[in-house]
Amino acid sequence: MCDDAKKTDAFEVPAYDAEAIETKWQARWEAEELYKTDEDPSKPKKYVLEMFPYPSGDLHMGHARNYTIGDAMARQARMRGFDVLHPIGFDAFGLPAENAAIKHNTQASVWTHKNIEQAVKTMHRMGFSYDYDRMFNTCDPEYYKWGQWIFLKMWEKGLVYRDTSPVNWCPGCQTVLANEQVVDGKCWRCGSIPEKRPLSQWYFKITDYAQELLDDLKLLEGKWPERVRAMQSNWIGRSEGAEIDFTLADVDGVTPTDTKITVFTTRPDTLFGVSFFLLPPESPLAAELVAGTEYEPAFLELKAAAEKVSSVDRQGSEREKHGVFTGRYVINPVNGRPAPIWVADYVLMDYGTGAVMGVPCGDQRDFDFAKKYGLEIAPIICEKDDPLYEELKDERELRVTSVDWDHAMVAEGYLVQSGPFTGMKGGKHSEAVDAIIKWLGEKGLGRKTVQFRLRDWLISRQRYWGNPIPMIHCDCCGDVPVPYEDLPVTLPDNLDLGAGDTLAEYAPFYETTCPKCGRPAKRITDTMDTFTCSSWYYLRYCDPHNTELPFSKEAVDRWMPVDNYIGGIEHAILHLLYSRFFTKVLRDLGMIDCDEPFENLLCQGMVKDANGDTMSKSKGNVVPPSSVIEPYGADTMRLAILFIAPPEKDFNWDEEAVAGANRFIKRAWRVVWLLSQGAAAGAVDAGTLDAAGKELWRVTNAMGLKCTVDFDRCQFNTAISAVMEITNAASKYVNDVPVEQRDPTLSFAVASAIVRTLSPICPHWADELWTAALHQEGSVYNAAWPEFDESAAASDEVEIAVQIKGKVRGHVTIAADATDDEVAAAAQAAVAEQLAGKEIKKVIVIKGRLVNIVAI
Ligand code: ANZ
Ligand code: ZN
């Protein structure tokens, strides 16, 4: 080894001390307010938002992943010239805080703030670029005041109402739940099976927006995960069909009464095949019909049993159906036939009209029910190749009233025994459907309708730790809104929760006077579902200190919609649907212009333990972020999180991958330091580079371009791989080429590219190298994302394999843009020796890859 090379080795690369570097830069960023939101209207904006956390304790790996993804996006966007809004706050109301307070005999706010403090510490330690000036908690009166204000605006618009109907009461949480919060028949929070209880509750009229919430899912195509859009669409559940009026028959079973019972059906074409009529167990009409009759005991038994089963389960196609006869009949409007009225547990009170025409021939559930209870199965729709079709195709009267099928005819078919509609094609959206609806309409017996599965949002909760509903009940005036100037209705913070105090029993809170008539009145003691607080927090971030309004129009016009929203798939319906609803309501109130709040949605995958199990406290397999930050540093942790898998995929926590990320960070650290020797900023003149320099420059540009594209697609793992390739090429360069033979501008450009492309992921590491090794001023955050050059990325020469009769005999390096003839000639020259004395029959050139010479 020559002396010069030894001198190179003698250069001492400073040790990579993650802890020291990270704490130093975190302090500096904070002192310089580096992440304060820019407000330069001449620049394009980017609003990057991670779903804000519930402060239940310290952050876990799921949070760390969520925020690391958002942070990398926000930092890169800023370097690419955007004004970036990247805020954070806390979804701070909710039951866990209240339950913890009860258990430990403290205040919910104390528990909450302690957790927030810890979480914020960890966020700082992770180096997230949040604008902490904009931080708020939903339990701050300055925030929830505006939630109450929005409630009152919605009340004025007729979007809030109170109703007494059976609701989902969770015995675990001791409060009611919204439909969206009953997931697979269980409470989303505690897993208890909710009971139906008739209670007076407050609702937001989300159903007014059902059609728009469905239609606008189209705007999100390609921007939201397909499955999230599908889940929302199913949840909204639009069905086109008809309402048809049946007449209740008198006790004799034939004489029509004045009572009409209306059904909702998606298959009016099957009207001639109605074999029975169904009411749900909760139906007051059913109770009335059986009252005092021999049928009443069985009815009451069925009703009691049905109350114990969730509505999702009751509708399950696999579940055995239960029913009882009421002793009464309805008259089919289309042919005057009486149909027995049964009560069945698979019929729900709150869908459609709460009454069903039973057509076992066309509906599998009705079919199962008819089989079980020996009811008619009248064939009114057949496939053409069915012998029954031949027999009945011209039959208009209902002659055959029972068939021995083993399942219903759910496919499309042709109507038989169906009066004037016989012979028409039947099925959902068929000509028969249209014809029958028209016919019913003319006779005033039915009409076309649209049904939604979506129900109004039940927002009242019988719990303390939430935003108080700003209403007062007066015995004379009814429900009266709290005047705007009296907002906020403040939550008292001196309740003795441990002793069982509740708002409903706390006189200093509820005793008040009526704003209308001045008489003594009672404040509503329910609080709002915490999902109301999370439905508009992203708007408040645009203007968090506003004391006049929830936010100014100007501020939301600048920042909305959120460009990149990142969070877990568990919110596919709940939070995302409610936020879409709030956005549309606030738009209609003239407060914002956008129709949809979240332009792009990324649902990050889960972080599981090394065996692929979900991390949970009870299983004891939680890997806390501190267990990685302490030994390796935040940058290694951030790199590992983004490198292990693409953001939307689940991954198993992998110690080896973390160690690997740490090895890479150190290697890149070393390579940048070595490149920095004798490096000089300036334009690289590719023409003057030697072969080694040219190759490094080509790899840097090619991989830099790839890294940029992958960043734009949020494919951080492959973006990192691209930087690794630059680092490998640079490492080879510094090993092979002695310092004094290196090109100073090339060395600088490559080192600077590595530092800048990795800086959104490893920001502390990057700032240290940027200033100490590359002698730049200030943080890389203020530097521009590097530009890469397409033409410099292209390889100007390619290596081509030369085959003789299919066997590789040599290689030739040739200009990438050489013509086929030039390539053929070069190939022949390369293997001239082997061709000596042979006759060349044919030369096949496969562009850029190989040449095959057929010679004998
Ligand atoms: C007669 C019929 C015949 C039906 C047939 C289907 C097939 P979707 O598509 O989900 O909207 N239905 C109506 N109200 C109901 C309730 N409250 N509880 C349980 N089931 C109810 O479902 C609409 C169909 O579900 C309706 O169309 C009705 O059964 C049933 F060959 O009416 B159909
Ligand atoms: Zn009053």
Side-chain angles (χ1 to χ4, degrees), residues 473-478 480 513-521:
H473 185 80
C474 167
D475 284 339
C476 313
C477 312
V480 181
T513 49
C514 173
K516 253 192 196 163
C517 70
R519 289 191 183 84

Side-chain angles (χ1 to χ4, degrees), residues 509-658:
F509 177 76
Y510 67 68
E511 274 178 356
T512 186
T513 49
C514 173
K516 253 192 196 163
C517 70
R519 289 191 183 84
K522 197 174 172 219
R523 206 178 274 296
I524 298 301
T525 56
D526 284 351
T527 52
M528 285 187 239
D529 183 359
T530 55
F531 280 92
T532 63
C533 305
S534 53
S535 291
W536 69 281
Y537 76 108
Y538 49 90
L539 296 167
R540 182 72 177 170
Y541 282 145
C542 300
D543 191 11
H545 308 297
N546 198 324
T547 53
E548 303 297 312
L549 282 171
F551 46 83
S552 74
K553 178 95 188 343
E554 195 194 351
V556 289
D557 281 351
R558 168 67 177 150
W559 291 112
M560 287 297 290
V562 174
D563 294 278
N564 293 93
Y565 199 34
I566 309 138
I569 188 79
E570 65 275 16
H571 292 292
I573 295 173
L574 286 155
H575 162 62
L576 291 170
L577 187 68
Y578 294 149
S579 298
R580 296 182 61 221
F581 165 60
F582 259 65
T583 295
K584 291 172 192 306
V585 170
L586 293 166
R587 176 205 59 196
D588 290 347
L589 285 167
M591 297 179 64
I592 46 176
D593 279 339
C594 59
D595 296 317
E596 285 290 331
F598 312 125
E599 179 79 8
N600 292 287
L601 174 69
L602 190 157
C603 291
Q604 94 261 4
M606 302 235 289
V607 184
K608 303 195 169 174
D609 75 0
N611 305 314
D613 292 325
T614 312
M615 290 188 191
S616 82
K617 272 190 196 146
S618 57
K619 278 192 240 158
N621 61 349
V622 174
V623 181
S626 58
S627 73
V628 185
I629 300 175
E630 278 161 23
Y632 293 115
D635 284 336
T636 291
M637 165 122 175
R638 297 166 57 113
L639 181 69
I641 284 176
L642 295 181
F643 187 57
I644 296 178
E648 62 283 347
K649 291 261 153 51
D650 290 355
F651 71 74
N652 298 348
W653 189 251
D654 181 350
E655 280 297 325
E656 189 32 51
V658 178

Side-chain angles (χ1 to χ4, degrees), residues 376-396:
E376 284 181 352
I377 301 177
I380 45 82
I381 183 161
C382 290
E383 275 168 315
K384 273 200 171 149
D385 55 6
D386 189 329
L388 200 64
Y389 175 76
E390 271 314 305
E391 186 190 330
L392 297 175
K393 69 176 194 289
D394 300 318
E395 186 64 62
R396 294 178 154 230

